[in-house]
Structures are given as C-alpha cells and as structure tokens.
Amino acid sequence: VILAFALGLAVTFGPLVVRHLTDPAIAARGLQTRLWEPGTPLPAVALRVLGRYAIHFGPGFLFVRGDADPGNSPADSGMFEWALLPLLLVGLFAALRRVRSQASSAFLVAMVLAYPAGDVVARYDGAHAFRSSPGIAALLLLAALGAVSAWRWLRERNRALAWGTAAVIAGATLVQDARSLTTYFGSWPERPAI
C-alpha cells in the first residue's frame, strides 16, 4: 500500500516538482509571494516561518476572527466555534497519550502538526484560511477523537453526566450557529469589506 501511494505521488507530483526546480518562470511567482526578502539570513527565515506556523494554532485565528480578510472567514468568528475548543483539547490529550501505542494516533498528531504547512512560507497579513484549509480536516478529526474519548470516559463514570456534557456542547454549538447565521444573513453582506 505504501509503495503504491509513493508511486502514485511520484507519477502525479514528480513532474511538477522537477518543473518548479528547473523553470525560472515558475520560481519567480514563489519569490514574489514568499514570507522573507532575498538575502534574509536562515535563522531569521526560520523565526518568521515558526511565527507564522504558531498563528495557525492561536485563538485569534481558530476562534475569534479567522483570516485577516473577512471574506475568507465565517461571519463574526474564527475558523471554529468556541464549543469545539474543549473537544480539541481532549482530543489532543487522547492522541498524545496513545501516540506510541497506536499508529492512528501518531498519524493524527502528525496531521495536526502539518495542517498549516500550505501557508507558512507565503506573505500575508496573518494566517490565510484558504492556504491552510487542506489541513483543517486534521483539527476536525482531533475534535472528533476528543468527543468520542470524552463520551467514553464520562459514560464509564456517570451516564447522566455524559449525556449532560454532550447536551451542553451541542447546545453551545447550536447557539453559536444561530448567532452566526443571523449575522451571515443579516448585517454581514452589507459590510463594505464584504
């Protein structure tokens, strides 16, 4: 399976990689949009890339405002609703706890770490929602793992508490959805930036 995947990757992306490494016209676009200026020392480049990487995991991007361009983000929120935060944290704890014993947990942690890779070297005012969007599924899977792990742990201890916690998270999500939809179909389209 791994050999078939590697072969498919080499056949589809191999020519593109060769073209990017050998064609100066394609490389020119990368030089125009990269995060650092020509001649920037490698440690400074690394610091900029790490800073850009960290923004993707911050509450500003994930829960408060999202992309700097309001047209690239949900109305009046970050990329996720606040109700997802506890599920993300529980999922992270569960995945890290099982990272050595389960390949799926190790793979999920690797996916989460790689999620912003599409956006860490490009110039932009903050995190770019579209460039990092291919990896956002990793965060959703992490939240799903958190939901399942929390449910199982709570159910073993107290079924009523498990159902109550699930109801609170579902209720918070629905309230946030209602607020977001009200804004989206109300005042959001009338804003000058939109």
Side-chain angles (χ1 to χ4, degrees), residues 142-164:
L142 190 67
L145 175 62
V148 170
S149 299
W151 172 259
R152 288 179 179 164
W153 188 84
L154 288 169
R155 190 183 62 188
E156 287 175 8
R157 280 143 188 83
N158 185 328
R159 275 182 107 62
L161 182 60
W163 280 106

Side-chain angles (χ1 to χ4, degrees), residues 12-73:
T12 54
F13 288 106
L16 183 64
V17 169
V18 169
R19 185 76 185 258
H20 273 271
L21 293 173
T22 59
D23 186 351
I26 290 177
R29 169 78 175 136
L31 294 173
Q32 293 171 353
T33 61
R34 72 180 178 191
L35 188 58
W36 58 92
E37 298 77 29
T40 304
L42 188 57
V45 170
L47 282 175
R48 284 188 189 179
V49 170
L50 285 173
R52 184 63 175 268
Y53 179 85
I55 290 171
H56 286 275
F57 292 98
F61 178 67
L62 290 179
F63 302 105
V64 178
R65 68 185 166 282
D67 196 308
D69 180 351
N72 293 346
S73 292

Side-chain angles (χ1 to χ4, degrees), residues 37-183:
E37 298 77 29
T40 304
L42 188 57
V45 170
L47 282 175
R48 284 188 189 179
V49 170
L50 285 173
R52 184 63 175 268
Y53 179 85
I55 290 171
H56 286 275
F57 292 98
F61 178 67
L62 290 179
F63 302 105
V64 178
R65 68 185 166 282
D67 196 308
D69 180 351
N72 293 346
S73 292
D76 290 340
S77 73
M79 302 312 293
F80 296 118
E81 296 173 341
W82 280 103
L84 209 61
L85 179 60
L87 300 178
L88 285 166
L89 294 174
V90 171
L92 181 62
F93 175 76
L96 290 174
R97 212 174 110 232
R98 301 177 189 140
V99 77
R100 291 182 185 217
S101 62
Q102 293 181 351
S104 59
S105 290
F107 188 67
L108 179 57
V109 169
M111 285 176 54
V112 168
L113 291 173
Y115 121 75
D119 186 40
V120 295
V121 297
R123 187 178 305 132
Y124 190 68
D125 183 26
H128 195 284
F130 293 148
R131 286 189 191 122
S132 60
S133 65
I136 211 90
L139 295 177
L140 295 173
L141 289 172
L142 190 67
L145 175 62
V148 170
S149 299
W151 172 259
R152 288 179 179 164
W153 188 84
L154 288 169
R155 190 183 62 188
E156 287 175 8
R157 280 143 188 83
N158 185 328
R159 275 182 107 62
L161 182 60
W163 280 106
T165 303
V168 166
I169 291 175
T173 301
L174 289 173
V175 166
Q176 288 175 303
D177 284 346
R179 193 192 99 217
S180 187
L181 287 172
T182 302
T183 303

